[in-house]
């Protein structure tokens, strides 16, 4: 067995053991009680009207968020990725911020803004604020907050897929019709699979979202399994309650598999030198800029600014850090560890998928995507089913559980980023190394990894952000004394002053956003310096 | 009124000249071939004619109408009434053969029945009738080439631009398709600007051959001049090695 086959198979098996085994163990555990096999846990499933109502709530919320993100995300993605829109890089980053922080922080910001003592009440009066506040707590609030959170998923996927459309296809269209026609008839149909994939992803992320519906008091199905698990500690019922969500995930991915996967390959690979044509907005430039700026201020800046304003005092931050500095430190350490392991596992999984290195590459890709799309409640309960045994208690009772949770949940991100980076490195680079007598590991270490370093750094940063913001998985599996900052904020919310919660939210947002921003600036600075030297 | 007039057209990319002070007039029904090595500015010139690029300096007239001048496109590509066949053909992969041909007709508001008639005519012209519903990926290189040609002719352009359309085909198919292009040009009487780096192909297709080097016209003529040009290149290459 070659080193390549051994390592890639080993990593694939690791993902199966860490990710798939827990799900199977969870299902097995729910079917086994008092030493016999039984369907008792499932007998009450979906028999009450309440459960059906919760399922309907989840479905309608997820479908509405998906639709809204598509309606706004695709035009914004085209605006930032295809036109001469001013400050498009800034706006792309700005719209991404809500995705980088736990979504319930955005919800807290809105609640603060619309609350009785909030800015909205001062500006528009208490009656209007009361009405808006009531609107926030429920379906509308969940819809709005989750829309602003997942909007960048569609924006970024649209922007990325636009780069994969061969410029000549659009040039050919421009000879017969103007840009609106080219976009409508050529560009958008070509990137439609990516857009639909984004919509499916948003749907699944919304279905599994716990923090926002919990804070905004909107009953959805995922809350049911949390309640069964944490309040009643009814393991079988909790497993049964997450099963419909798992089925939703399987169904959605099946749709993606059957209808979309083959169509991805229709888009031609773009040669590096081919410059994508840019749409000149002309007279629409100012209008679109004003609209986007106002939209960005409302959706992104307002809730965060409110939190900064609410906590604007050194003493508030001092008291906030006094109660949660240990959680902050833990969050940072776990995020760095998680991101590093994710980068390692994601690199090899990405290599397996991107290079189609072994026959099971497609299964590996589907598995990581399945685990990413699966609601965290399913993963969390599954991990406990597998590891909560006398033999493995040393793992179950340690922070390793949290790191495993991150690996299982987010391997798809670093894997897909690596696969996409590798698609830009010709296979011939590796072939040349092989002809020069380099073994696979050396080709990886000396040729592929250095050439893919920018993508690897990007993957690490994405892994860091997602590990740091994670609430749902951590909340279920964290051992006593290992709670992270998002969990700590959530538990403190019930009995802490709003100023302290606001301060912790700001600290959380800064811890998530600042390191990637610094890393990005350093890379840009280094690149700028190198360009300067060559000139 | 000439179909094409270029007056002192220049274009730079990142400070490097691609086309320098290029002037030419093309007569109606002519088959002008731009011949030259890679990077001599042929494609840049064609893209400026199509309206996909603006010249930095100079003026471009199509049918006597000023369509571009000094950094500005006055008439966008879709209003220039020309067809173009790209080097990589650029067939839209999500559309069928007939979908590729009729997209331009649809964009110009032609009613469905007329569109179907026109598509039928064009498919017959390029001998591809039985492939109307096929996707580009299901066709061979030569068949894709014919579809690209039919698509470019869909709006009955008076001017057709072809950017090394046969460069990716084997010699036998290449020679056969040259004959097809000439047949179609004579049947529909469009003016042709054709790019190639192959002197044989240039001699086969062109009624006039413009030999280019480093963004400039080096020589204009027919067989004798092309032979001279070819010898010059060989000498240069030998001197260089």
């Amino acid at each position: 067995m070659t080193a390549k086959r051994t390592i890639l198979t080993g990593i694939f098996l690791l993902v199966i053991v860490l990710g798939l085994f827990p799900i199977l163990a969870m299902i097995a555990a729910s079917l086994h009680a008092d030493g016999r096999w039984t369907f008792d846990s499932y007998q009450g499933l979906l028999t009450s009207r309440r459960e059906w109502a919760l399922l309907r709530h989840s479905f309608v919320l997820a479908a509405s968020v998906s639709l809204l993100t598509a309606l706004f995300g695709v035009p914004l993605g085209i605006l930032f990725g295809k036109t001469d829109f001013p400050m498009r890089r800034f706006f792309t980053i700005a719209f991404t911020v809500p995705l980088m922080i736990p979504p319930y922080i955005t919800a807290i910001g809105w609640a603060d803004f619309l609350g009785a003592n909030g800015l909205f009440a001062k500006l528009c009066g208490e009656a209007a604020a009361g009405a808006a506040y009531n609107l926030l707590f429920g379906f509308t609030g969940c819809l709005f907050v989750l829309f602003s959170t997942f909007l960048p998923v569609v924006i970024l996927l649209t922007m990325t897929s636009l780069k994969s459309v061969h410029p000549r296809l659009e040039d050919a269209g421009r000879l017969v019709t103007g840009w609106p026609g080219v976009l409508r008839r050529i560009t958008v149909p070509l990137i439609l699979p990516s857009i639909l994939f984004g919509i499916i992803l948003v749907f699944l992320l919304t279905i599994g979202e716990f923090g926002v519906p919990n804070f905004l008091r909107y009953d959805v199905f995922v809350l049911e399994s949390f309640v069964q698990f944490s309040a009643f500690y009814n393991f079988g019922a909790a497993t049964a309650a997450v099963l419909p969500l798992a089925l939703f995930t399987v169904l959605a991915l099946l749709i993606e598999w059957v209808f979309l996967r083959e169509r991805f390959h229709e888009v031609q690979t773009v040669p590096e030198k081919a410059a994508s044509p840019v749409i000149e907005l002309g007279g629409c430039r100012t209008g679109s800029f004003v609209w986007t700026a106002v939209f960005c201020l409302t959706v992104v800046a307002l809730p965060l600014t409110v939190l900064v304003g609410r906590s604007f005092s050194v003493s508030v931050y001092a008291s906030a850090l006094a109660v949660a500095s240990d959680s902050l430190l833990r969050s940072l350490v776990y995020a760095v560890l998680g991101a590093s392991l994710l980068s390692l596992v994601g690199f090899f999984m990405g290599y397996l998928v991107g290079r189609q290195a072994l026959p099971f590459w497609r299964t590996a890709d589907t598995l990581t995507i399945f685990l990413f799309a699966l609601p965290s409640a399913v993963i969390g309960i599954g991990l406990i089913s597998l590891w909560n045994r006398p033999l493995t208690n040393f793992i179950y009772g340690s922070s390793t559980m949290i790191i495993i949770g991150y690996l299982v949940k987010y391997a798809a991100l670093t894997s897909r980023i690596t696969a996409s980076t590798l698609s830009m490195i010709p296979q011939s680079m590796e072939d040349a190394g092989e002809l020069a007598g380099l073994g696979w590991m050396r080709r990886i270490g000396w040729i592929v990894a250095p050439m893919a370093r920018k993508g690897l750094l990007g993957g690490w940063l994405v892994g860091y952000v997602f590990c740091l913001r994670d609430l749902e998985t951590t909340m279920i599996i964290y051992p006593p004394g290992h709670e992270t900052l998002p969990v700590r904020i959530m538990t403190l919310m019930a009995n802490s002053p709003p100023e302290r919660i606001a301060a912790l939210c700001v600290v959380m947002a800064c811890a998530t956003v600042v390191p990637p921003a610094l890393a990005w600036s350093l890379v840009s600075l280094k690149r700028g310096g190198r360009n300067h030297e060559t000139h | 009124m000439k179909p094409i007039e270029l007056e002192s057209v220049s274009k730079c990319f990142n400070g490097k000249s691609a086309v320098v002070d290029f002037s030419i007039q093309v007569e109606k029904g002519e088959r002008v071939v731009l011949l030259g090595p890679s990077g001599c500015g042929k494609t840049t010139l064609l893209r400026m004619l199509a309206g996909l690029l603006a010249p930095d300096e100079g003026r471009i007239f199509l049918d006597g109408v000023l369509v571009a001048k000094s950094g500005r496109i006055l008439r966008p590509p879709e209003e220039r009434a020309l067809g173009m066949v790209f080097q990589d053909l650029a067939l839209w992969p999500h559309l069928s053969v007939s979908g590729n041909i009729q997209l331009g007709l649809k964009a110009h508001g032609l009613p469905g029945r007329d569109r179907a008639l026109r598509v039928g005519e064009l498919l017959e012209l390029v001998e591809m009738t039985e492939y109307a519903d096929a996707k580009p990926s299901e066709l061979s290189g030569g068949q894709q080439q014919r579809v690209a040609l039919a698509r470019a002719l869909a709006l009955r352009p008076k001017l057709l631009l072809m950017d090394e359309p046969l460069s990716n085909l084997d010699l036998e198919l290449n020679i056969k398709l040259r004959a097809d292009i000439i047949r179609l040009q004579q049947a529909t009487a469009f003016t042709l600007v054709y790019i190639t780096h192959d002197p044989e192909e240039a001699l086969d297709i062109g009624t006039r051959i413009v030999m280019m080097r480093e963004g400039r016209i080096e020589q204009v003529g027919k067989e004798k001049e092309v032979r001279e040009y070819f010898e010059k290149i060989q000498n240069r290459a030998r001197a260089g090695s």
Side-chain angles (χ1 to χ4, degrees), chain B residues 95-161:
Chain B
L95 300 177
S96 64
V97 165
S98 61
N100 263 275
I101 297 170
Q102 64 173 305
L103 191 136
L105 303 171
K106 219 187 252 184
H108 279 72
L110 214 69
R113 242 179 93 178
D114 296 350
R115 277 204 311 263
L117 269 174
R118 183 89 189 107
V119 170
E121 273 171 33
L122 284 161
L123 286 174
E124 211 170 302
L125 195 68
V126 295
E127 296 162 6
M128 288 288 291
T129 309
E130 65 266 44
Y131 295 99
D133 298 323
K135 285 279 180 80
S137 57
E138 294 161 13
L139 305 176
S140 69
Q143 289 168 333
Q144 289 183 358
Q145 179 62 49
R146 287 159 196 265
V147 176
L149 201 56
R151 184 180 71 179
L153 295 174
L155 287 167
R156 296 201 172 107
K158 289 181 196 156
L159 170 64
L160 186 68
L161 311 174

Side-chain angles (χ1 to χ4, degrees), chain A residues 258-307:
Chain A
V258 173
F259 294 106
L260 305 178
R261 189 149 291 203
E262 292 309 315
R263 289 195 59 194
F264 274 111
H265 304 297
E266 281 185 350
V267 179
Q268 296 185 15
T269 315
V270 180
E272 221 170 289
K273 276 173 79 183
S276 182
V278 172
I279 303 172
E280 288 174 10
L281 292 172
C284 303
R285 208 160 175 248
T286 314
S288 59
F289 178 78
V290 171
W291 186 90
T292 309
V294 171
F295 183 61
C296 184
L297 280 172
T298 315
V299 168
V300 180
L302 187 65
L304 295 176
T305 312
V306 167
L307 290 174

Side-chain angles (χ1 to χ4, degrees), chain A residues 108-123:
Chain A
I108 294 173
W110 278 107
D112 235 23
F113 176 67
L114 297 173
N117 301 319
L119 193 64
F120 191 69
K122 284 172 191 152
L123 292 172

Side-chain angles (χ1 to χ4, degrees), chain A residues 475-489:
Chain A
M475 195 149 175
I476 292 184
I477 57 176
Y478 79 92
H482 288 274
E483 63 183 0
T484 57
L485 190 56
V487 177
R488 185 92 177 116
I489 298 173

Side-chain angles (χ1 to χ4, degrees), chain A residues 342-413:
Chain A
L342 275 169
S343 296
L344 191 71
V345 171
F347 177 80
F348 288 111
M349 286 297 274
Y351 185 93
L352 173 62
V353 173
R355 289 280 191 250
Q356 303 183 4
L358 294 172
F360 49 80
W361 67 271
R362 192 164 269 188
T363 315
D365 188 38
T366 308
L367 176 64
T368 54
I369 292 287
F370 170 72
L371 293 170
F372 178 65
L374 209 58
S376 300
V378 184
I379 289 176
I381 294 172
L383 285 172
I384 292 171
S385 304
L386 185 70
W387 297 100
N388 185 13
R389 292 155 202 275
L391 198 67
T392 52
N393 219 19
F394 67 101
I395 291 176
Y396 179 68
S398 73
S399 53
T400 313
M401 277 298 277
I402 298 175
I403 304 296
I404 293 175
Y406 292 163
L407 263 182
V408 172
K409 180 80 183 153
Y410 302 121
L413 296 173

Side-chain angles (χ1 to χ4, degrees), chain A residues 169 171 174 176 185 266, chain B residues 47 78 84 92-94 108:
Chain A
L169 297 176
D171 283 347
R174 287 168 67 200
V176 292
R185 294 190 165 113
E266 281 185 350
Chain B
R47 289 174 65 78
E78 72 271 19
M84 183 164 174
W92 298 307
H94 60 299
H108 279 72

Side-chain angles (χ1 to χ4, degrees), chain A residues 428-442:
Chain A
S428 55
M429 300 282 172
E430 275 184 72
D431 295 344
E434 193 174 5
L435 289 173
L438 299 181
W440 185 71
M441 280 307 285
R442 285 190 169 167

Side-chain angles (χ1 to χ4, degrees), chain A residues 170-201:
Chain A
E170 289 172 333
D171 283 347
R174 287 168 67 200
L175 295 175
V176 292
T177 181
W179 267 116
V182 172
L183 287 176
R184 190 158 56 91
R185 294 190 165 113
I186 296 163
T187 313
V188 172
L190 281 172
I191 64 168
L192 199 60
S194 292
I195 294 172
L196 292 176
F197 176 67
I199 292 171
I200 288 175
L201 208 56

